[in-house]
Amino acid sequence: MTGQRSDARRNYQRILAVAEAEVAAHGAEASQEQIARTAGVGSATVRRHFPTRRALLEAVFQERIEGLCERAHRLSTTEDGRTALLEWLHALVLYAVSARGFAHILSYEPPTEDPSPNSCGSKIEAAGTPLLERAIRDKAVAPHVTFHDLLTLSVGIALATEHHEDPATQAVRLFHLAVEGLSPEQGTARVPGNSSPSTPQTERLPNGHG
């Protein structure tokens, strides 16, 4: 019995090591069948340890997820709440760009689902939410902003830039643009279509005709 458990642990570690290499090469679409062949085990063995693709990806990224969570905890002692939140989000965006498949595993967890508290998304949310709440209390972030808003923004930037010639540079540029706003010196711009029904507004054309 002990020998069987030892074999299972060795299989798990071998599969995980191969999976890390395959995900690094092919992202979230890494083939579980190829992972099984490279690891020298059957597909059923891979699925016994990792019953879904999501479970496999979460195992691959587990260590780095913990690193991001630890970083959030350290930043919670930073004097400036806005700086702490933005520094952590910056790290999240850079990691999502550099680690193929990571943005995909986070995008698997929309807010309508009820993910496991041990899932990547749940751990990231638990780590980052206190930073957001503190920034809101400091009036550095609008009170209507949710953690899912920030996660969606980070994942979107990563997915949009992953095939760019220099994804990290482009991702940071877009992140700064999102933080600063399109017109930082103009205040909050009115967005067409966002007028309150009780206060309708009529846009005028450049030539002055309504």
Side-chain angles (χ1 to χ4, degrees), residues 13-66:
Q13 294 300 330
R14 184 162 63 249
I15 293 168
L16 184 58
V18 171
E20 288 173 348
E22 286 292 317
V23 171
H26 304 290
E29 299 306 313
S31 167
Q32 289 177 286
E33 287 70 24
Q34 181 60 45
I35 291 171
R37 285 194 294 270
T38 304
V41 299
S43 295
T45 300
V46 173
R47 288 185 169 82
R48 184 162 58 249
H49 288 290
F50 307 106
T52 65
R53 181 179 298 275
R54 176 171 162 177
L56 178 66
L57 290 172
E58 288 191 343
V60 166
F61 295 121
Q62 190 65 39
E63 185 174 341
R64 294 196 179 186
I65 286 290
E66 291 175 358

Side-chain angles (χ1 to χ4, degrees), residues 105-155:
I105 187 60
L106 292 180
S107 69
Y108 285 171
E109 298 186 13
T112 54
E113 292 185 0
D114 185 20
S116 162
N118 294 319
S119 70
C120 288
S122 294
K123 288 183 177 181
I124 287 289
E125 183 173 2
T129 295
L131 297 179
L132 171 61
E133 291 175 343
R134 180 184 171 198
I136 290 175
R137 287 196 303 271
D138 291 349
K139 301 187 185 306
V141 173
H144 63 269
V145 175
T146 68
F147 183 80
H148 187 261
D149 293 334
L150 301 181
L151 188 61
T152 300
L153 177 65
S154 301
V155 168

Side-chain angles (χ1 to χ4, degrees), residues 68-102:
L68 282 170
C69 292
E70 290 174 4
R71 184 163 189 171
H73 179 70
R74 291 197 302 271
L75 285 168
S76 66
T77 62
T78 301
E79 184 174 349
D80 187 335
R82 181 179 187 274
T83 297
L85 176 63
L86 293 183
E87 183 176 330
W88 187 76
L89 288 175
H90 182 265
L92 175 61
V93 168
L94 284 182
Y95 178 54
V97 171
S98 65
R100 296 189 64 181
F102 181 66

